Amino acid sequence: MSQATRGLAEFLAGLRYEDLPQSVVERTEDLFLDWLASALGSQGQHPIPLFERYAQKMGPADGNCAVLVNGKRTSAYFAALVNGASSHLIEQDDLHNSSVLHPATVVFPAALAAAQDLGKSGRDVILASVAGYEAGIRIGEFLGRSHYRIFHTTATVGTLAAAVTVAKLLDFDTEQFLNCIGSAGTQAAGLWEFLREAADSKQLHTAKAAADGLLAAYMTAEGLTGAKNILEGEQGMAAGMSKDADAKWLVDGLGTRWALAETSFKFHASCRHTHPAADALLDLMQREGLAAEQIAKVTTRVHQGAIDVLGRVMVPQTVHQAKFSMGTVLGLLAVHGKAGLVEFDAFSLTDPRVAAFREKVSMVLDPEVDGAYPQRWLGRVEVETVDGRHLQGAIDEPKGDPGNTLSRPELEDKFQRLLAYSGARTPEQGSELIAKVWRLHQLEDVQVIA
Amino acid sequence: MSQATRGLAEFLAGLRYEDLPQSVVERTEDLFLDWLASALGSQGQHPIPLFERYAQKMGPADGNCAVLVNGKRTSAYFAALVNGASSHLIEQDDLHNSSVLHPATVVFPAALAAAQDLGKSGRDVILASVAGYEAGIRIGEFLGRSHYRIFHTTATVGTLAAAVTVAKLLDFDTEQFLNCIGSAGTQAAGLWEFLREAADSKQLHTAKAAADGLLAAYMTAEGLTGAKNILEGEQGMAAGMSKDADAKWLVDGLGTRWALAETSFKFHASCRHTHPAADALLDLMQREGLAAEQIAKVTTRVHQGAIDVLGRVMVPQTVHQAKFSMGTVLGLLAVHGKAGLVEFDAFSLTDPRVAAFREKVSMVLDPEVDGAYPQRWLGRVEVETVDGRHLQGAIDEPKGDPGNTLSRPELEDKFQRLLAYSGARTPEQGSELIAKVWRLHQLEDVQVIA
């Protein structure tokens, strides 16, 4: 039995609300609000209604747990499923850089559904979510870059992060945590292959990760046992799904390093892999006073992961695919100054100026950028102007990263913009939700979050 | 886009009941009855009641679909889940040799649940189940031996087999089959690591495979798209989970080779990897008139897969683990002449004669046996007697294999024995169920199977 996996389980079992620094508590509320915005912002968009219909067909007609996009109540499993699907669609949810995990979209659907089912408080949700972030991020780091080349980490590791979150709400001891991690790890799945045709699997992945993680924890509470060494064992996750796993990450800085505080908020509405180059280009254009038409060529110097994820998309066929097109993202910024949800819908597929700019953009692997990744996401672009100048743009921390983060007013603004985008809630309802989330640490009952 | 995956999807979309040879139809009924026995035979045994409680907590209180072990009705998802869990517990369900897939435990729970939900006939169930067997077996062969070393094929490939089964009940066209296979493949999960502590994951695996496959098909019917090349793509299943995948198997003999007819029925109540050596020892003991006490040493000559799966268990701690102990299985046969469910419960952990025999048994890798595997499961044993003789036992086709199969009376006998073992049904109820299954091809409504 590995000491690293056991060490992680002991930490999770022993973690108390009183152990959390105030900054971590507040940051969890920030992340929760940002997640709520992402979930509500997808209302009505394909394929979210498909998940709603599936939940109505297979689940109970009522229950304790809120489906955010339609206000219906159901059982915890289906609330986690639909909220997990809906919070990753518009590509506005958070990201942890070095694990390449989007924690919010798997942790919070599980946390809210289980807490509403079990009658838990806001403090319970915060504590459980911190546990989910701390475990999920470390397991993502443990599985390494080789895992991410084939597997969608937010799907695979997300199942474990969600399971740990619900396990903490169920107040598990160390042995129960080990069983629960075993039952979650053996359900972990999700392949990047869907990107080629922009299939809907990304929503299936986050839906299933949140719901299957919850299932693992509830079944553990019933008495189901799991593999105690699912992460490191000879026939476990690392053996089957990684070539560069390193157990040291599983216990890295437990109790002193708060990985949750290292997460980044999304600023542009595109795949996070486009953001470093996007910010570097924006910075360069502002510095030089350049307009889109003055640019002849853009070479983005990127890490391998960006090429793996973005390299497939040449001419995007859907708005969702456009968010994975480096040329389109840079084109929106160069031509319209923003790459938000509104700009994607209005311009990403049909604006000839954006399409023309897209053709000017290429990606090349940069050893420095790749070497720094995934701890740091460096932005490097080379621009050739129509009048023959060669310019370079560089940023070391994209907007939304911990050292360049969003303030609470910026988060509130993003929240209201996403609600307005989908029409899921009125601005007044949005303000009420914001007020509830900023008091999450005092809420006796999280039923009011719906 | 791969021609092999597309070829498989085209075959599945075009397959009609009229295309099935009579022998395949009858064999499907045989396999269905054998599956029903396995599902009912586990009633009341840990961890099945945990799945029942979970389904009651998360699912609707009523529905069209039967949970076999408790007679309750629920939605298709939860019926598939509980019936998938229960039909693999007692290790009496079927096996396909070269794919190392247990098809019944994933195909039939999905088939019955979806057919009851959709109001389909017995012929529909037969056709859909054949589709699930043909696809699942070929996908298992495609992923190869390297996959099985780490991944539990019945879990991973089982998700695809179940999805294809339900897809056929939903009468999908080729494009829908491709989407459905994509959504199933990206959910495929299940690691062997749980064997080390005899954890409960095997039931979780078959439960989830059946239910997640059903989910993939229902979501495809709603309009969810999936990766079109999930099996062979650069970031698909083979890329992530196999080192020796070969696409030729995906279309091997479609329409002429009926892989369903190649499956084996379980005769002993133990892991199938023990059966070749078990039958070889039984044959040798009968031939030589040997009693257990006359045997000093047994060397079983086995394939690598047997060592991978059975090699962990030295002294079994549970009855379930005993089914994975080569020494215990051979001990039961040598001392008691049988290794059925009754013998496992009564003698596998506590009988000192069985324990003594267990200590005499070892496994060694045999190049001939390993080379024939997984197409053929050869049984080879070397026995040293207490009076110094060296004897050899060999069988080329274990009892239950296609060339040495169980007749309908033998299947009926096994069915009634498993029902009596668990007490799930009276012999009269058992006889009624048998009569229904032998008329499955004529049943207008499969609601009566419950």
Side-chain angles (χ1 to χ4, degrees), chain A residues 1 46-47 49-51 53-54 57-61 74-78 81 117 148-151 179 182-201 203-205 208 211-212 214-216 218-219 222-237 239-241 243 308-309 312, chain B residues 1 46-47 49-51 53-54 57-61 74-78 81 117 148-151 179 182-201 203-205 208 211-212 214-216 218-219 222-237 239-241 243 308-309 312:
Chain A
M1 174 67 214
H46 176 88
L50 281 52
F51 287 90
R53 287 201 293 272
Y54 179 79
K57 193 171 279 180
M58 296 297 174
T74 181
S75 67
Y77 175 83
F78 290 101
L81 188 86
D117 188 38
Y148 184 73
R149 294 202 68 163
I150 306 278
F151 293 94
N179 281 313
S183 290
T186 206
Q187 295 182 75
L191 296 156
W192 278 121
E193 182 61 26
F194 74 92
L195 280 183
R196 197 184 304 253
E197 302 104 1
D200 299 324
S201 308
Q203 281 61 64
L204 181 63
H205 288 176
K208 288 293 306 308
D212 287 345
L214 184 140
L215 181 154
Y218 271 72
M219 291 292 300
E222 294 281 354
L224 194 81
T225 60
K228 298 287 203 301
N229 205 18
I230 196 72
L231 300 173
E232 303 170 74
E234 281 169 42
Q235 292 171 303
M237 282 186 80
M241 303 159 91
K243 294 186 180 72
D308 292 342
V309 174
R312 299 193 177 292
Chain B
M1 175 67 215
H46 176 88
L50 281 51
F51 287 90
R53 288 200 294 273
Y54 179 79
K57 193 171 279 181
M58 296 297 175
T74 181
S75 66
Y77 176 83
F78 290 101
L81 188 87
D117 188 38
Y148 184 73
R149 294 202 68 163
I150 306 278
F151 293 94
N179 280 314
S183 290
T186 206
Q187 294 182 76
L191 296 156
W192 278 122
E193 181 60 28
F194 74 91
L195 280 184
R196 196 184 304 253
E197 302 104 1
D200 300 324
S201 308
Q203 280 61 63
L204 181 63
H205 288 176
K208 287 294 306 309
D212 287 345
L214 184 139
L215 180 154
Y218 271 71
M219 290 293 299
E222 294 282 355
L224 194 80
T225 61
K228 299 285 202 301
N229 204 18
I230 196 73
L231 301 172
E232 304 170 75
E234 280 170 41
Q235 292 172 304
M237 282 187 81
M241 304 159 90
K243 292 185 181 72
D308 292 343
V309 174
R312 301 192 176 291

Side-chain angles (χ1 to χ4, degrees), chain A residues 1-10 178 229 232 247 250-251 254:
Chain A
M1 174 67 214
S2 145
Q3 289 313 302
T5 298
R6 180 166 286 277
L8 177 62
E10 285 171 355
L178 287 171
N229 205 18
E232 303 170 74
L250 292 173
V251 289
L254 286 173

Side-chain angles (χ1 to χ4, degrees), chain B residues 3 16 46 84 92 100 227-228 245 264 277 397 417 427 433:
Chain B
Q3 288 313 303
R16 298 167 311 155
H46 176 88
Q92 287 284 275
V100 205
K228 299 285 202 301
S264 305
E397 197 151 22
R417 277 191 287 111
L433 269 172

Side-chain angles (χ1 to χ4, degrees), chain A residues 137-155:
Chain A
I137 288 168
R138 284 175 177 82
I139 294 168
E141 291 174 332
F142 157 72
L143 287 174
R145 294 177 66 166
S146 65
H147 180 72
Y148 184 73
R149 294 202 68 163
I150 306 278
F151 293 94
H152 181 195
T153 301
T154 300

